[in-house]
């Protein structure tokens, strides 16, 4: 039925349609509480299983794999439960990674689910971050951070009581099948808890390398970098009363983990933060080729040699690994040198998935048009961390730290879309290039 407007009344206009991103809607989404539960589980489940292994019953690798599988399933299905969601680039990336893994497995006549799991974590948690509403999110990340700090303080103050509750050596021996005498120190900690050449940060500090909830120092060092990215990239979104506490405790974790890579990565990220306003969109995608080129250049100009447990020795090993690859290794058709890539992450990702798929993965993550300086910085910071880490390790593929890292990237993409949608009128679907 038609109605006549009163004289002088302004015509009514329908409300503007909510802007929609491919793969996400700007409005609505997964609650921060639900996503935080997944992140807490991803970071803490190994600690919980270690407690059970130490105090209840010895475990095998199966509970670890089943628990991790359940966490990945939760992270995958939460975004699918949203209304008004249309598939985007990360859905396509996940399908590509699955298809290429299946094809290469058939061609290699060898099936290793870990190879797919390592890269599937990336789009799954990016999509979770893109789907998550922001209310209270950073408060929950802050409290998770404090749990990590509290466990690290306990380990630092009384390693004896810590190991009585969390026998890390026995847990990794029973779930990874490695003999204690070959891999672990006598006090029940992970082998790398003690550097053979003394500490890197504050050599006179009477403290072993801390591991906290991650059970080994390398992952704690990686977490320090991710915490730095979180603080530097989301500073204005973090409640003011939490900022200085988070900064001080992150510094404590850096000193406690005594990580060379974390120190270098944090320094690079903070330097990039100083020039945040001038970071171009293309900066992040250029990081990997620049770091790889610098790696080879450093080996040639500085005469770096592999075989030493130093930053230079690790870089030389990564370069030599690439030089030893055959065409079949670059095509992902042969895993004959996979053991040599344990400390050469770039080589690992190329051999496991092919150079072409590795390049597509990198460009899908970092080649995009972003509207805000914060988002451009955060993408650059994550690219710096990943590229620097892959020169000397493949540790970024563990869900203990990878889940939070890629969640933050997804959350940055969502916030960039939300701010762009609020800054100018948008038609439905107009922000699809943000995915």
């Amino acid at each position: 039925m038609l109605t006549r407007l009163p004289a002088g009344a302004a015509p009514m206009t329908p409300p503007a349609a909510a802007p929609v991103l491919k793969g996400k809607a700007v409005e609505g989404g997964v609650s921060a509480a639900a996503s935080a539960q997944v992140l807490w589980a991803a970071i803490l489940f190994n600690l919980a299983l270690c407690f059970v292994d130490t105090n209840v019953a010895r475990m095998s690798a199966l509970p670890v794999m089943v628990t991790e599988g359940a966490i990945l399933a939760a992270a995958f299905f939460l975004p699918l439960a949203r209304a008004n969601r249309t598939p985007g680039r990360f859905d396509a990336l996940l399908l590509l990674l699955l298809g290429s893994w299946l094809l290469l497995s058939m061609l290699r006549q060898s099936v290793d689910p870990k190879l797919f799991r390592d890269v599937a974590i990336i789009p799954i948690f990016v999509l979770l971050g893109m789907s998550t509403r922001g209310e209270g999110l950073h408060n929950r990340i802050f409290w998770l951070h404090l749990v990590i700090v509290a466990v690290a303080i306990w380990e630092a103050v009384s390693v004896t009581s810590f190991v009585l509750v969390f026998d890390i050596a026995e847990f990794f021996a029973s779930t990874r099948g490695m003999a204690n005498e070959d891999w672990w120190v006598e006090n029940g900690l992970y082998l790398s808890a003690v550097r053979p050449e003394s500490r890197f940060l504050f050599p006179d500090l009477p403290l072993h390398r801390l591991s906290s909830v991650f059970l080994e120092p390398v992952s704690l060092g990686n977490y320090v970098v991710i915490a730095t990215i979180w603080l530097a990239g989301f500073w204005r979104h973090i409640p003011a009363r939490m900022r200085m506490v988070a900064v001080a405790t992150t510094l404590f974790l850096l000193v406690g983990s005594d990580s060379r890579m974390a120190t270098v990565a944090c320094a690079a990220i903070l330097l990039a933060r100083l020039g945040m306003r001038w970071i171009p969109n293309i900066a992040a995608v250029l990081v990997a080729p620049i770091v790889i080129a610098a790696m080879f250049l450093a080996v040639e100009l500085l005469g770096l040699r592999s075989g030493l447990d130093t930053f230079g020795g690790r870089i030389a090993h990564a370069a030599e690994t690439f030089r030893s690859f055959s065409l079949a290794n670059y095509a992902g058709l042969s895993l004959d040198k996979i053991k040599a890539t344990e400390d050469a992450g770039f080589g690992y990702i190329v051999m496991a998935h092919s150079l072409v798929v590795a390049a597509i993965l990198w460009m899908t993550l970092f080649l995009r048009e972003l509207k805000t300086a914060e988002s451009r910085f955060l993408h650059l910071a994550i690219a710096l961390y990943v590229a620097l880490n892959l020169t000397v390790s493949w540790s970024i593929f563990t869900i203990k730290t990878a889940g939070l890292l890629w969640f933050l990237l997804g959350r940055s993409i969502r916030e960039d879309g939300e701010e762009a949608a609020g800054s100018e009128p948008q038609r439905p679907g107009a922000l699809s290039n943000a995915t």
Side-chain angles (χ1 to χ4, degrees):
M1 180 179 68
L2 297 177
T3 57
R4 187 181 299 276
L5 290 173
M12 297 177 64
T13 57
V20 176
L21 302 180
K22 281 188 178 181
K24 66 181 275 296
V26 172
E27 294 182 355
V30 180
S31 70
S35 293
Q37 288 172 9
V38 175
L39 294 175
W40 278 62
I43 290 176
L44 300 177
F45 83 95
N46 271 284
L47 184 74
L49 293 180
C50 182
F51 175 85
V52 173
D53 183 78
T54 304
N55 301 280
V56 181
R58 288 297 175 197
M59 310 187 73
S60 65
L62 182 60
V64 178
M65 293 187 289
V66 170
T67 306
E68 183 170 326
I71 294 169
L72 283 172
F76 175 74
F77 284 111
L78 273 176
L80 292 180
R82 292 185 303 121
N84 303 322
R85 182 181 184 277
T86 55
R89 69 159 67 183
F90 288 101
D91 301 271
L93 175 63
L94 185 58
L95 290 174
L96 170 67
L97 294 173
L98 176 60
S100 65
W101 171 71
L102 291 172
L103 177 60
L104 290 174
S105 296
M106 288 188 291
L107 294 175
R108 292 187 296 234
Q109 298 185 356
S110 172
V111 179
D112 185 352
K114 180 183 180 301
L115 300 181
F116 173 64
R117 166 264 187 201
D118 286 350
V119 291
I121 291 174
I122 299 172
I124 287 175
F125 275 92
V126 170
L127 286 169
L128 181 62
M130 291 171 64
S131 304
T132 300
R133 301 194 301 270
E135 300 88 349
L137 173 64
H138 296 289
N139 297 53
R140 290 176 168 87
I141 294 176
F142 174 77
W143 287 110
L144 173 59
H145 175 79
L146 288 190
V147 170
I148 295 169
V149 172
V151 175
I153 291 173
W154 176 14
E155 181 188 355
V157 171
S158 178
V159 67
T160 302
S161 65
F162 180 77
V163 171
L164 285 175
V165 179
F166 302 104
D167 192 337
I168 298 173
E170 288 297 332
F171 172 68
F172 276 100
S174 59
T175 58
R176 272 65 168 182
M178 298 175 180
N180 287 1
E181 60 270 16
D182 296 333
W183 292 89
W184 324 107
V185 291
E186 293 180 357
N187 60 4
L189 297 171
Y190 199 81
L191 174 63
S192 59
V194 179
R195 286 194 191 278
E197 70 278 14
S198 78
R199 291 181 59 85
F200 168 67
L201 296 171
F202 302 101
D204 296 328
L205 193 65
L207 183 68
H208 66 278
R209 296 182 69 200
L210 302 180
S211 56
S212 185
V213 304
F214 303 100
L215 307 183
E216 39 91 17
V218 171
S219 289
L220 179 58
N222 289 348
Y223 170 77
V224 168
V225 186
I226 297 168
T228 302
I229 293 171
W230 169 59
L231 285 166
F234 294 96
W235 182 261
R236 69 185 177 93
H237 301 282
I238 300 171
R241 66 185 183 280
M242 299 178 178
R243 292 172 185 167
M244 296 315 299
V245 174
V247 170
T249 49
T250 299
L251 285 171
F252 162 72
L253 293 178
L254 176 62
V255 174
S257 67
D258 194 42
S259 172
R260 297 169 294 204
M261 192 286 300
T263 304
V264 172
C266 288
I269 289 165
L270 293 177
L271 284 174
R273 182 67 169 77
L274 296 176
M276 184 174 70
R277 293 183 180 181
W278 300 279
I279 295 173
N281 268 307
I282 201 172
V285 80
L286 293 178
V287 169
I290 290 174
V291 167
I292 292 173
M295 178 177 71
F296 280 98
L297 190 63
V299 170
E300 294 300 323
L301 295 182
L302 302 178
L304 302 179
R305 294 292 179 265
S306 62
L308 299 175
D309 186 23
T310 62
F311 203 68
R314 294 282 190 90
I315 292 174
H317 169 70
E320 289 180 10
T321 300
F322 265 131
R323 290 194 180 103
S324 70
F325 276 13
S326 63
L327 183 60
N329 296 136
Y330 281 107
L333 298 175
S334 174
L335 299 176
D336 61 326
K337 295 183 175 67
I338 196 70
K339 184 67 176 176
T341 65
E342 286 186 358
D343 291 325
F346 277 120
Y348 169 74
I349 195 70
V350 167
M351 183 182 295
H353 300 280
S354 82
L355 180 60
V356 172
V357 171
I360 292 173
L361 172 60
W362 186 264
M363 289 188 291
T364 303
L365 288 168
F366 298 115
L367 184 59
R368 65 167 28 86
E369 182 182 348
L370 296 164
K371 306 298 183 183
T372 66
E374 282 182 343
S375 297
R376 289 191 289 272
F377 161 73
L378 197 136
H379 277 68
L380 176 60
I382 291 178
L384 283 168
Y385 161 60
V386 172
L388 290 172
N389 189 291
L390 288 177
T391 60
V392 297
S393 174
W394 62 6
S395 61
I396 67 162
F397 297 111
T398 175
I399 195 174
K400 291 184 290 186
T401 54
L404 178 58
L405 174 72
W406 300 116
F407 176 89
L408 291 178
L409 183 71
R411 181 61 208 170
S412 173
I413 294 170
R414 180 181 174 111
E415 290 189 1
D416 186 78
E418 289 174 339
E419 295 205 17
S423 63
E424 58 186 54
Q426 298 285 345
R427 65 184 184 279
L431 299 180
S432 60
N433 62 351
T435 62

